[in-house]
Amino acid sequence: MCQIKVNGGRPLQGALTVQGSKNAALPILAASILHEGVSVLHNCPRISDVNTMIQILESLGCSVRWERDALIIDASGVSRCQIERECAAKMRSSVLLLGALLGRFGECKISYPGGCVIGKRPIDLHLRGLSALGVAFREESGDVYGKGRPRGGYFCLPFCSVGATENLLLAAVCAKGVTVLQGCAREPEIQALCSFLSAMGADIRRVSADGIAVFGQAPLHDTEYTIPTDRIVAGTYALAAAGTRGNVKLYGISRTDLAGQLDLLEQMGVQLSFKKDCMEVDARRGICALPLVRTCPYPGFPTDLQSQMMAVLCTALGVSRIQETVFENRFGTVQELIRMGADIQVQGDCAWITGTEMLQAARVCARDLRGGAALLIAGLEAVGETVVDGLSYIERGYEDVCRDFRLLGADVSKGKDNGG
Ligand code: UD1
């Protein structure tokens, strides 16, 4: 098993440019198959989830190649509308191909999607929404078959699911007539998908804060698009600076990208300043506990930063409370943090964290992507050598976490468990 060794106990100090966004890139890659032509994506992150999505696109008949940081996708040869079971099992975002394949072919077959184990993660909203656009579904031994060309319609999402909003947008672009979606997720990655689809020729209009209208079947054409910066990766490095009482500069990021995160960092005592596309994070004066961190859909505090925030609060003076409202199984890293000396009590969807002066280095194991990032932060806080197993989870979303933490002055290295 691949692992990361962290020699922690010193403040981070340095600067880096934050990578492109995973959660923006994945739906945009799925969207590229809507058009029988070429999409060029700049700033696409080189992470394993993107590689998995590329494999899926290739299995459908796309030709995909990298040219420096640009990913070039030619979807003119797409001929298949089935996603193989192994591909779907690797990554939840494979479900986004439902909307895209139905849009292009009026037909698709996909297995129930996999991904990090952070809750039940059903796809009922995706299927209900697509059914409202005229698609008929049947399920058979773990596979979902969809049939019917989407047509314009109305759907109100009872919960603002990010993935369901994206799937409906993808299907609506090729639907005959106008589709009105209400209760849509408002994450910046939804905006990025709409910008990409519009750049491709789609006619998409925001009709209210959570309402989007799509005028279907606008002619699509080749396009070039730059994937925005990853706000979760930026938040991870900002929190790592807070956890180590460091001072770092993160480039490529703006205030609005980080809505929901900044108030809490400041409340903790971290000083933030912005100049053009650079955010300086200064935690050298120390940090204090937070009475309540509640994860919420955008613009609330992102669930994807909850574990990293917990790792920081483990050494913040006082008692903090975290409430997880988005996923029901996202305290999977608590036991590992406790092994490092953290004082955490979990009851239902809440965790109480009593700050201790210092964490202890230990051998711990990542079980999901963001939990893995949290353990790296805990390792940076602890004096001595922490070994984090399960690097493959971290590589799903972080391009090269060792390179980045080294730019911030950390002593980290990749290794292989040789059983010793
Ligand atoms: C996306 C993000 C993920 C992030 C999450 C919430 C990507 C690739 N992933 O995941 O990093 O943590 O948004 O911000 O963009 N739900 C249902 N039925 C459905 C769909 C969702 O009950 O059909 C529930 C889920 O179980 C979960 C909640 O809704 O409890 C949020 O899920 P959703 O917003 O759909 O997240 P994802 O799109 O899977």
Side-chain angles (χ1 to χ4, degrees):
M1 195 196 295
C2 287
Q3 52 189 209
I4 296 187
K5 291 186 175 141
V6 185
N7 265 302
R10 58 173 189 239
L12 290 185
Q13 190 155 31
L16 64 81
T17 300
V18 181
Q19 69 180 62
S21 162
K22 165 175 102 63
N23 288 356
L26 295 173
I28 288 173
L29 281 165
S32 69
I33 66 166
L34 290 174
H35 164 56
E36 285 179 48
V38 178
S39 303
V40 179
L41 302 178
H42 297 282
N43 200 35
C44 193
R46 286 181 184 253
I47 51 177
S48 66
D49 270 10
V50 162
N51 290 335
T52 305
M53 187 58 106
I54 291 174
Q55 277 171 25
I56 298 177
L57 295 182
E58 285 174 338
S59 75
L60 296 173
C62 283
S63 109
V64 187
R65 69 177 205 279
W66 286 97
E67 251 176 44
R68 300 204 184 133
D69 87 323
L71 190 62
I72 301 165
I73 304 137
D74 183 346
S76 50
V78 174
S79 54
R80 300 188 69 228
C81 51
Q82 291 191 11
I83 312 287
E84 296 310 328
R85 190 165 285 203
E86 311 84 74
C87 289
K90 271 194 201 163
M91 187 177 62
R92 173 155 175 99
S93 298
S94 55
V95 75
L96 294 172
L97 287 150
L98 262 183
L101 286 171
L102 285 164
R104 179 136 171 202
F105 296 109
E107 198 179 338
C108 72
K109 179 187 155 198
I110 185 168
S111 295
Y112 263 98
C116 284
V117 188
I118 53 170
K120 291 199 287 285
R121 307 186 86 174
I123 57 166
D124 53 316
L125 291 181
H126 301 239
L127 302 184
R128 274 167 58 192
L130 291 167
S131 302
L133 303 189
V135 179
F137 287 101
R138 86 189 149 83
E139 292 176 45
E140 214 175 273
S141 44
D143 293 327
V144 180
Y145 296 80
K147 205 160 175 56
R149 290 214 170 263
R151 45 172 201 267
Y154 173 82
F155 188 68
C156 181
L157 287 106
F159 176 84
C160 51
S161 155
V162 173
T165 303
E166 291 167 343
N167 240 332
L168 289 168
L169 286 168
L170 294 176
V173 163
C174 297
K176 189 166 184 208
V178 184
T179 300
V180 176
L181 304 172
Q182 293 287 358
C184 296
R186 291 154 63 185
E187 270 64 7
E189 294 77 25
I190 301 285
Q191 189 48 50
L193 176 61
C194 291
S195 302
F196 171 75
L197 291 168
S198 302
M200 214 189 212
D203 186 353
I204 301 180
R205 305 178 200 175
R206 195 162 278 284
V207 290
S208 64
D210 67 355
I212 302 177
V214 183
F215 294 75
Q217 296 193 333
L220 302 180
H221 48 73
D222 291 358
T223 186
E224 255 184 74
Y225 182 77
T226 301
I227 304 285
T229 301
D230 196 310
R231 64 194 172 96
I232 302 300
V233 172
T236 301
Y237 295 147
L239 283 167
T244 61
R245 316 302 185 257
N247 174 222
V248 304
K249 283 185 178 158
L250 303 174
Y251 287 90
I253 203 85
S254 74
R255 238 176 205 286
T256 37
D257 291 332
L258 301 182
Q261 308 181 28
L262 301 177
D263 286 358
L264 287 176
L265 280 165
E266 283 176 335
Q267 215 180 309
M268 216 189 245
V270 177
Q271 291 184 309
L272 300 172
S273 53
F274 284 86
K275 263 191 209 133
K276 284 192 190 151
D277 70 339
C278 172
M279 171 171 76
E280 183 171 353
V281 184
D282 188 352
R284 286 173 293 185
R285 290 194 197 154
I287 58 167
C288 58
L290 293 173
L292 180 62
V293 177
R294 196 166 181 269
T295 65
C296 286
Y298 188 85
F301 182 73
T303 175
D304 285 351
L305 284 173
Q306 183 258 104
S307 307
Q308 301 90 313
M309 175 62 94
M310 184 181 281
V312 175
L313 293 176
C314 288
T315 59
L317 204 63
V319 179
S320 302
R321 175 156 71 109
I322 294 183
Q323 186 182 15
E324 173 58 60
T325 74
V326 181
F327 290 108
E328 71 280 4
N329 188 15
R330 219 171 192 183
F331 288 138
T333 307
V334 167
Q335 282 315 316
E336 301 302 286
L337 291 172
I338 289 175
R339 278 161 47 71
M340 295 181 73
D343 180 349
I344 307 171
Q345 311 279 336
V346 175
Q347 209 174 15
D349 64 356
C350 281
W352 280 263
I353 304 120
T354 306
T356 55
E357 208 163 299
M358 201 176 277
L359 292 177
Q360 294 144 22
R363 182 164 184 173
V364 286
C365 190
R367 293 195 172 81
D368 67 81
L369 160 59
R370 306 302 171 186
L375 292 174
L376 292 179
I377 294 178
L380 291 167
E381 291 174 65
V383 176
E385 185 179 90
T386 291
V387 177
V388 180
D389 287 316
L391 172 61
S392 58
Y393 284 110
I394 299 170
E395 288 178 332
R396 295 184 64 159
Y398 295 84
E399 223 170 43
D400 188 343
V401 81
C402 288
R403 171 200 69 196
D404 284 355
F405 274 131
R406 273 193 221 114
L407 286 168
L408 302 181
D411 180 357
V412 286
S413 56
K414 257 190 226 180
K416 264 213 164 96
D417 177 16
N418 48 21

